[in-house]
Amino acid sequence: MGKTKNLKFNFDISSYRLLGRELITDRITALFEIVKNSYDANAENVFVEFHDVNTRKDISKIIISDDGIGMSYSDLQNKWMVIGTMSKRETRMSPSPYNRKLVGKKGIGRFAVDKLGSHVILKTTVKGSKVLHCLKTDWRDYEELENQQLQLKFDDDSFQYFTDIENEYWEEEVPPIKQGTRIEIYNVTDPWSELDVKKATSELSKLISPIQTFQYPFNIYISSNEYDDFQDRLVENNSIGFASLDTEISFDLKKGTQQVLHFDENTGNLNIIDVPISDSNNGGMGPIKMRLFYFNQNDKRRFKRSYAGAIIDGVKIYRDGLITTPFAEHAIERDKERDILGIDKRRYSGFFDKISSRDLLGFVEISDSLNPMIIEATNRQNFVDNDEYRELRNFIINQIEELEKRLSAQKREEREQTKSNLRIARNDLKETSTIIKAIKNIATPEVKSELGLVERNVREIEVQIKRGINEFNELEKEQNKQRDLFLSLMSLQEYAAEISHVVRTAVANIADSAKFFNVYFPNPKYSEQYLLHASHIEAEMNKLALAIDFMLSYAKSNIGFKEIDLGATLGNLFNKTYRDRFIKADIHYTIEIRDSFVFTHNVKFFEDIFENLISNSMKALKAVKGPKHIKCSGSLKGDMYEILFSDNGPGIPEKLRRKVFNIYFTTTEEDGGAGMGLYIVQTRIKAMKGTVSIIDSEFKPSGTTLKICLPIKSDE
Amino acid sequence: MKSNIDIVVIHDNVKRESYLITELQEQYNNVKLIDDADDGIEYISHNFSHKTIVVLDMDFGNGTNGFDVLKAIRQYSFLIEVIILSANEPSDARNALTNNIPELPGLRVFDYVIRGNPNWQEKVIEKVNKAEININGSIMNAIDSWIEIQSKDRRKKPFVITNDGVQYSLDQLKKAIQQNDDTSRKLEEKILMMAIKLMSKTPKE
């Protein structure tokens, strides 16, 4: 060891807390940060060594070393020891010829060390130097001081600043060809099990795109003296090997073309076609390289078996081969990962055909030179929201959608193929039977008796196949039914959220009034308000009672789903259930169902819609002096079935139209309107994935017309 | 003494005589209650000041919702603090807290309170108080207020030149601050960095 002296960090508690510790949330992120620092230092190789870490012992240590540019004494003093210089932010590139885009967080990698262990020895040297600069830091000293400082005893004479803590510095000799930095971490905070090391490996493997070839390599090696699998193991991203579908698109700068995925419905193939590059000089996102890997259930199982702790986690964007910052931060909890590209958000609009980010690994390659306007936001949580980035996001989603089309076509194809194979098998057997019959006619008695046995067997198989075909068809029908049920359950979820909103609102209002009494009563300043609050409480209680009735309608109704013929059901409702009441109220009604429409749903729920509409119209028609009309018509409109429901009542003023579907909104309070009718109508129609809106009245100038659109589901 | 900061509550389920409004009025001189999202947008467009705290509902039934109001507010100013008060747990609001709505990055909100949870009124009032501290302590708000008291002439003249050579008058700077654009963010960052540099360079005697 050479001369020993002391060095002090040049920062204070506020910057320590502000810039450092609170940004590093867990140890895997910490490791990730340190390795990113090596990348920024032009290292080609980083070695992460775990020594005796399985249980925490005195000899446990973690060593991270690289062959990067290292630090001189002045670097150590003026950069490492000073927070706030942020030298990284001023030059965004690492030194030439590597010119790597810097990925480390705002100079806080050194704090990451603290998360791994409190006692650190840093050894570093630059090329050509014979001196290895060594610095020992014990973060416990800082923590102790931080605790003292938080007590804010400013008048205490012994008060110390972070800048007062002395860190031991010494020099050692090195062969001049060596360069790089070595961080030895002792007093390791937590034990690292083999699974922990595997997880860390899996995280580190995401740092570099598996589809990029670097001009200058960046290899990470992990080793452990305890785990056999980790003997200078190269960290590689092999996850993509398990995917059953792999697509790749690129671009050709000379031709000015960008490849995109295109699903051809006629051939069922996922093709790659050329389109013009979106020119970054003219406000475009620039050319994109992308690879998508789709994992089906089997692939996922194999993937999980081979990569303990690893996950399939969607599409990530890499710039010049290295992960971009919004994706570069590890999230411990899966659910806290952010859906930056909005892939999972799409699934709510069509559960069955959409791929989730858990089925997909994607690597989007951009570069500083070709995609200059795709910029990471300064908060590192997203990209700067500009037209170019939006274009990129749409581009990625479009590619995924083409892939989805291919997958659902494939599913359909496989189903058809199975069906047709079964049919072919049945026909083949029939033919076999015919041939056997023919042979029997010319065969000897012994052969005939043998053939009889074969014939019986063939017939039995034929019956089995027939049964198989029937079961297959039944299963398909059942599956469609289940899908319908599932869709309505999804909307039940929506409904549950709505009901809880209603109950919470009422409870909040009651609590507010109670609070008012509690705090202000009997202050005479508010004497008028007390009465108001008493009546609010009563009104809110009534609303709660209504909401409970509505919930009970679900409990009482038969949850079973069955086929409903729209025409017949409406006919029944108008001509039987309501006929007498219409006559009594002097209402003339018309039903015009032009196209037949049969669907699977809960009969009670469907009837609810029209019972509420009829009841609303009858209330509205009370005010009409002349002839009273209710009209209901239905017809196919493209892939929707459209129902128009009209009356010639006083109508709904334009400005109230968007409010009438709100719960408790009513204009017929005196007629017993509670504001539930149209709310129920809308909820039930939503459950059928349909829409309802108020359009211009058929009975102009007065009257109301509601337009209901229900989707016609294909048999996919 | 009551605070002069503007409090705007845009909510269709909060009543004028409610405890929340009454208590806010006890603490603040200017409390405005609006029960319709469109009216809320209208009001903000005519009365926006950077010293405003908006308590905002998300779900107004059909039509315009709280997010539309938030978007409108952000068109005018990024300095207005918005506290979401909704009966639903607003996942979008939570995302907004982390600046992470894919379609609408940067739609920052100050915090959110679930209306109906225990002591929700106190929580709203506590957040409003905190937001007030934030507004009063914000560098950008301070600059914005300072620009406001400068003479019209001075506000029109060139004031700073960025590294890229772009010239800004105080009026342009004010707009940049309200839009929270790159220039204003850089400015804030630089002021903070300068403060940190100064702090870390102060030798201890």
Side-chain angles (χ1 to χ4, degrees), chain A residues 10 14 161 338 385 393 501 504-505 509 512 515-516 520 525-526 533 536 658-659 661-662 682, chain B residues 13 15 17-20 22-23 26 36 38 61-62 87-88 100 102 105 115 121-122 199-200 204:
Chain A
N10 189 358
S14 49
Y161 286 98
R338 294 162 313 118
D385 179 47
R393 222 174 49 209
H501 181 267
R504 248 191 196 150
T505 300
N509 287 341
D512 188 89
K515 185 111 208 166
F516 192 92
Y520 298 119
K525 185 178 163 191
Y526 297 113
H533 278 286
H536 289 332
R658 68 175 176 78
K659 287 199 163 180
F661 295 105
N662 291 0
Q682 192 190 43
Chain B
N13 278 312
K15 294 193 170 63
E17 61 276 13
S18 67
Y19 169 75
L20 177 68
T22 313
E23 190 55 34
E26 293 279 327
D36 182 89
D38 287 322
N62 294 286
N88 285 342
N100 182 36
R115 188 170 183 272
Q121 302 101 320
E122 275 93 341
M199 278 187 332
S200 51
K204 163 111 189 359

Side-chain angles (χ1 to χ4, degrees), chain A residues 415-624:
Chain A
R415 234 170 17 225
E416 285 308 315
Q417 191 60 47
T418 313
K419 252 191 205 170
S420 125
N421 283 347
L422 282 169
R423 264 186 235 120
I424 290 168
R426 196 172 66 175
N427 289 340
D428 283 353
L429 281 171
K430 267 187 189 155
E431 214 169 288
T432 313
S433 292
T434 322
I435 292 167
I436 292 170
K437 258 184 204 145
I439 297 171
K440 253 168 94 181
N441 287 339
I442 50 165
T444 61
E446 291 84 5
V447 175
K448 244 186 207 173
S449 106
E450 284 295 318
L451 278 178
L453 208 67
V454 175
E455 215 179 350
R456 268 201 303 281
N457 280 341
V458 168
R459 219 173 292 137
E460 235 166 71
I461 297 170
E462 219 182 307
V463 171
Q464 292 295 341
I465 288 187
K466 205 174 163 188
R467 198 176 289 156
I469 293 174
N470 286 341
E471 274 175 16
F472 191 88
N473 288 339
E474 282 302 309
L475 205 71
E476 224 181 334
K477 268 193 202 160
E478 191 59 33
Q479 226 176 26
N480 286 339
K481 258 192 196 168
Q482 278 179 358
R483 188 185 61 177
D484 289 344
L485 183 67
F486 195 82
L487 285 176
S488 51
L489 274 180
M490 296 243 301
S491 58
L492 251 180
Q493 211 176 15
E494 214 171 86
Y495 157 78
E498 202 137 354
I499 279 296
S500 61
H501 181 267
V502 165
V503 172
R504 248 191 196 150
T505 300
V507 168
N509 287 341
I510 294 168
D512 188 89
S513 292
K515 185 111 208 166
F516 192 92
F517 278 111
N518 196 14
V519 174
Y520 298 119
F521 190 79
N523 185 343
K525 185 178 163 191
Y526 297 113
S527 58
E528 278 175 25
Q529 273 92 321
Y530 299 133
L531 262 181
L532 277 175
H533 278 286
S535 69
H536 289 332
I537 291 176
E538 194 191 354
E540 293 299 336
M541 291 298 217
N542 287 338
K543 282 181 182 175
L544 274 180
L546 271 176
I548 288 166
D549 281 348
F550 181 43
M551 276 192 271
L552 278 177
S553 75
Y554 273 87
K556 281 178 193 157
S557 60
N558 181 1
I559 201 80
F561 278 61
K562 61 181 196 182
E563 278 192 354
I564 298 174
D565 182 323
L566 180 100
T569 311
L570 287 183
N572 214 11
L573 210 62
F574 277 81
N575 297 326
K576 292 188 179 155
T577 317
Y578 278 91
R579 193 167 178 272
D580 290 347
R581 269 178 269 179
F582 286 150
I583 292 170
K584 205 173 157 192
D586 201 17
I587 293 170
H588 178 261
Y589 67 90
T590 326
I591 326 173
E592 282 177 6
I593 302 300
R594 232 174 290 150
D595 306 299
S596 104
F597 180 38
V598 179
F599 54 96
T600 312
H601 203 69
N602 180 306
V603 183
K604 172 79 183 74
F605 289 180
F606 181 71
E607 284 177 350
D608 265 359
I609 298 171
F610 289 90
E611 286 184 357
N612 277 296
L613 291 179
I614 292 171
S615 150
N616 272 356
S617 289
M618 287 178 76
K619 275 181 221 153
L621 287 169
K622 273 189 186 171
V624 175

Side-chain angles (χ1 to χ4, degrees), chain A residues 666-673:
Chain A
T666 179
T667 53
T668 55
E669 210 157 1
E670 58 278 19
D671 291 316

